[in-house]
């Protein structure tokens, strides 16, 4: 079940909210826990064992947190056991076949069989939340949760369960015990949800169809101009897909009285890659900074150690996104760019911001291209289409093909460009309580519903990570 589905909007969510707001405050966390397990169960109907896996994971981390808090002398060993337990399951389901394939490449005589494993939805996200909780208890940043229901509600809370934002325990610890629910916050939640739904269904899904069309045509057959249109389309698709999901998650949290952390801050307005990754998937960046970069020493041990720490963080970030070499190369590429900015180019682009924007207009789609295409032969072909001047036989077979696709998708590019700036947020804040904004949001909601009804909807891209 996804947020941008008729089943969720018109069946699950109304029933959940009706029950949630008509039970006692003490019972609300139980409703969050139970309702979220039901929500998760819908997505793993073909592999119900994953429900048991999640429940066991929650139980083991709850117990481990208690043990760390009680047996302080053994806390390091207990933390190690807890971290290994969490990453064991992530490794088994997400990376087993990656290591088997690479072992077979190095030692063909072994011919190890691949495993038929389906990645449990959201495991990358809830693994990180469990680990951050244990680390915070170990460091004394928070006390171990004494209620299994509250801890279960924290991990499984359906707004952020399957694609973030990654919520650390200290962010919601107080809210799990006491939170404010009122009509103003409920109304604000509906508005956030509607804006996120529109970002996903009206912009991401529609402009993403161009990337799908290009893949169906075959990269060999597209012109250079269409290749550039395609990678910009993917850049808008992945942004509005994930940004839309995060807005919906924040809105759903408000409907229950929770304040979930912001996950995006106009990242496409950045002038460096460093700034971009402070603004994109903010909670993931914060997680790696708090639980990997700083424990490694951060920037406190000299330039060489800082570079090493950055290399570790970005290699792991790439590997977290997917069990494929293209994600590792993508992570290493981001590391190289950020390191150059740190020591060479960053000050210049921050000072001469127009050039910084041009730099990022080129760099952002290039980075997403490595992210989008996992087959290296196809990636090579796409680069040849983007830069035919550097390759033999680079002439376009159909030099005017882009005209047709611009006519089809041009309006979505314009919408994507405008909505990537702070302009929509400024307009929304100015007209937030007005009749005009209410009419606009109603139009966005019902047009999104119409698109879903006629089948113009796709799963969220980040579910695959």
């Amino acid at each position: 079940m996804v947020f941008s589905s008729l089943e969720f909007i018109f069946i699950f969510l109304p029933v959940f909210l009706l029950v949630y707001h008509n039970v006692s405050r003490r019972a609300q966390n139980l409703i969050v826990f139970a309702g979220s397990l039901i929500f998760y169960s819908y997505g793993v109907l073909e592999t119900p064992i994953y429900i048991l896996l999640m429940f066991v994971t929650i139980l083991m981390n709850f117990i481990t947190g208690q043990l760390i808090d009680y047996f302080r002398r053994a806390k390091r060993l207990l933390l190690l056991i807890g971290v290994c337990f969490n990453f064991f399951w992530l490794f088994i389901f997400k990376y087993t076949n990656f290591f088997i394939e690479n072992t077979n490449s190095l030692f063909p005589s072994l011919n190890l069989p691949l495993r038929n494993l389906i990645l449990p939805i959201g495991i990358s996200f809830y693994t990180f939340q469990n680990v951050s909780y244990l680390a915070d208890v170990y460091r004394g940043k928070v006390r171990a949760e004494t209620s299994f229901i509250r801890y279960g509600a924290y991990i499984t809370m359906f707004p952020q369960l399957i694609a973030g934002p990654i919520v650390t325990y200290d962010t919601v610890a107080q809210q799990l015990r006491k939170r404010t629910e009122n009509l103003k916050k409920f109304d604000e939640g509906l508005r956030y949800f509607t804006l996120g739904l529109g970002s996903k269904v009206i912009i991401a899904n529609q402009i993403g169809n161009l990337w799908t069309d290009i893949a169906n045509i075959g990269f060999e057959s597209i012109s250079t101009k269409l290749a550039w249109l395609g990678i910009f389309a993917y850049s808008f698709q992945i942004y509005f897909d994930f940004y839309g999901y995060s807005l919906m998650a924040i809105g759903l949290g408000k409907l229950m009285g929770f304040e979930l952390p912001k996950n995006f801050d106009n990242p496409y307005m950045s002038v460096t890659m460093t700034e971009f990754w402070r603004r994109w998937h903010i909670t993931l960046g914060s997680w790696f900074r708090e639980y990997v970069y700083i424990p490694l020493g951060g920037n406190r041990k000299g330039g060489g150690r800082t570079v090493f720490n950055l290399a570790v963080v970005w290699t792991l970030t790439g590997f977290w996104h997917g069990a494929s070499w293209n994600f590792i190369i993508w992570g290493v590429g981001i590391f190289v760019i950020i390191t150059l900015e740190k020591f060479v180019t960053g000050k210049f682009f921050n000072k001469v911001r127009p050039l910084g924007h041009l730099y990022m207009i080129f760099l952002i789609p290039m980075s997403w291209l490595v992210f989008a295409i996992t087959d290296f032969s196809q990636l090579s072909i796409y680069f040849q289409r983007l830069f035919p001047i550097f390759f033999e036989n680079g002439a376009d077979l159909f030099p005017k093909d882009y005209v047709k696709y611009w006519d089809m998708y041009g309006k979505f590019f314009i919408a994507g460009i405008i909505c990537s700036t702070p302009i929509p947020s400024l307009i929304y804040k100015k007209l937030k309580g007005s009749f005009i904004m209410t009419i606009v949001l109603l139009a966005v909601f019902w047009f999104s519903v119409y698109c879903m009804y006629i089948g113009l909807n796709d799963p969220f891209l980040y579910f695959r990570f």
Side-chain angles (χ1 to χ4, degrees):
M1 190 186 305
V2 297
F3 298 162
S4 56
S5 67
L6 300 179
E7 295 89 346
F8 177 82
I9 293 172
F10 293 108
I11 300 176
F12 177 84
L13 185 59
V15 172
F16 172 83
L17 292 175
L18 184 65
V19 175
Y20 177 82
H21 287 289
N22 283 280
V23 299
S24 67
R25 288 191 177 274
R26 295 188 65 180
Q28 284 183 330
N29 286 333
L30 176 60
I31 298 303
V32 172
F33 190 11
S36 297
L37 287 176
I38 293 170
F39 172 83
Y40 188 77
S41 300
Y42 189 90
V44 294
L45 288 176
E46 296 181 0
T47 50
I49 191 68
Y50 290 170
I51 303 168
L52 178 61
L53 172 64
M54 170 171 278
F55 191 85
V56 169
T57 299
I58 293 168
L59 179 61
M60 288 299 296
N61 282 282
F62 173 73
I63 294 172
T64 304
Q66 295 268 330
L67 293 174
I68 290 173
D69 212 16
Y70 188 78
F71 297 103
R72 302 303 292 178
R73 291 185 178 180
K75 66 177 185 177
R76 182 170 296 181
L77 175 61
L78 291 167
L79 175 65
L80 179 63
I81 292 170
V83 170
C84 290
F85 171 81
N86 285 290
F87 282 116
F88 170 79
W89 295 111
L90 184 62
F91 176 88
I92 289 296
F93 287 105
K94 194 168 185 175
Y95 302 108
T96 295
N97 282 336
F98 174 80
F99 283 100
I100 289 175
E101 288 172 352
N102 284 278
T103 300
N104 287 339
S105 297
L106 291 172
F107 307 102
S109 59
L110 291 177
N111 195 26
L112 300 173
L114 296 177
R115 306 300 178 186
N116 185 25
L117 297 172
I118 300 173
L119 184 68
I121 298 173
I123 191 171
S124 297
F125 290 90
Y126 70 70
T127 295
F128 270 27
Q129 291 196 181
N130 279 312
V131 169
S132 69
Y133 166 74
L134 295 181
D136 286 348
V137 174
Y138 168 83
R139 296 185 300 183
K141 186 176 182 179
V142 299
R143 294 300 303 272
E145 178 57 72
T146 57
S147 166
F148 179 70
I149 298 300
R150 279 198 297 265
Y151 188 73
Y154 158 61
I155 293 296
T156 65
M157 193 185 305
F158 69 84
Q160 51 80 53
L161 173 59
I162 50 182
I166 299 171
V167 181
T168 55
Y169 176 73
D170 67 299
T171 305
V172 294
Q174 280 299 116
Q175 298 178 58
L176 287 166
R177 290 167 172 79
K178 185 178 180 180
R179 49 191 177 269
T180 303
E181 302 154 26
N182 52 50
L183 286 176
K184 181 179 178 181
K185 184 175 284 190
F186 195 89
D187 175 70
E188 191 176 7
L190 290 176
R191 292 171 183 268
Y192 269 88
F193 182 84
T194 299
L195 291 170
L197 184 67
S199 297
K200 162 63 178 169
V201 176
I202 299 175
I203 301 181
N205 288 353
Q206 311 316 317
I207 204 168
N209 288 332
L210 174 54
W211 181 253
T212 302
D213 290 343
I214 288 173
N216 290 335
I217 292 169
F219 299 154
E220 303 92 341
S221 303
I222 61 175
S223 69
T224 295
K225 291 179 180 177
L226 183 55
W228 280 102
L229 276 181
I231 194 56
F232 276 109
Y234 183 82
S235 299
F236 283 128
Q237 180 190 14
I238 195 170
Y239 172 52
F240 287 104
D241 182 280
F242 196 19
Y243 172 59
Y245 181 94
S246 296
L247 277 181
M248 284 189 271
I250 291 171
L252 290 169
K254 289 179 180 293
L255 295 180
M256 295 184 282
F258 288 97
E259 294 291 340
L260 299 183
K262 185 178 182 180
N263 216 19
F264 288 89
D265 184 19
N266 300 121
Y268 285 0
M269 296 300 294
S270 304
V271 295
T272 63
M273 189 61 76
T274 305
E275 181 185 2
F276 177 86
W277 278 98
R278 291 196 192 107
R279 292 167 171 253
W280 176 283
H281 205 342
I282 295 169
T283 57
L284 178 67
S286 297
W287 194 96
F288 273 106
R289 182 174 63 253
E290 185 75 15
Y291 302 105
V292 180
Y293 183 67
I294 292 176
L296 285 174
N299 59 1
R300 303 186 305 274
K301 298 184 178 181
R305 184 57 184 267
T306 298
V307 171
F308 172 79
N309 294 342
L310 286 171
V312 172
V313 165
W314 282 105
T315 302
L316 291 176
T317 301
F319 206 33
W320 177 86
H321 277 92
S324 175
W325 279 107
N326 71 298
F327 290 110
I328 297 174
I329 291 170
W330 171 81
V332 171
I334 298 296
F335 153 70
V336 171
I337 294 166
I338 286 178
T339 302
L340 287 173
E341 290 176 353
K342 188 175 184 65
F343 295 104
V344 183
T345 61
K347 289 183 179 179
F348 172 76
F349 286 126
N350 276 297
K351 187 175 181 179
V352 189
R353 295 187 71 83
L355 287 180
H357 286 301
L358 289 174
Y359 159 76
M360 290 303 290
I361 286 171
F362 171 79
L363 205 56
I364 287 171
M366 288 298 96
S367 67
W368 288 140
L369 182 62
V370 180
F371 193 90
I373 303 175
T374 59
D375 185 314
F376 287 113
S377 63
Q378 291 297 305
L379 183 61
S380 173
I381 291 169
Y382 207 98
F383 269 112
Q384 292 178 43
R385 302 318 307 147
L386 289 173
F387 306 103
I389 191 171
F390 298 114
F391 300 94
E392 296 181 5
N393 302 320
D396 294 338
L397 296 176
F398 306 100
K400 298 293 184 180
D401 57 1
Y402 71 94
V403 175
K404 168 188 172 183
Y405 290 97
W406 177 257
D407 289 342
M408 292 170 62
Y409 297 103
K411 55 185 176 291
F412 299 113
F413 275 95
I414 294 170
I417 292 169
I418 294 172
C419 293
S420 295
T421 72
I423 293 173
S425 295
L426 294 174
I427 294 173
Y428 174 74
K429 289 178 182 177
K430 188 172 183 178
L431 302 176
K432 186 176 178 180
S434 69
F435 177 75
I436 293 174
M437 182 54 63
T438 301
I439 295 300
V440 169
L441 290 174
L442 283 172
V444 168
F445 176 79
W446 287 110
F447 184 65
S448 299
V449 168
Y450 172 74
C451 290
M452 290 185 285
Y453 176 74
I454 63 176
L456 298 179
N457 192 37
D458 295 305
F460 288 93
L461 289 179
Y462 257 73
F463 284 3
R464 60 188 279 211
F465 309 124

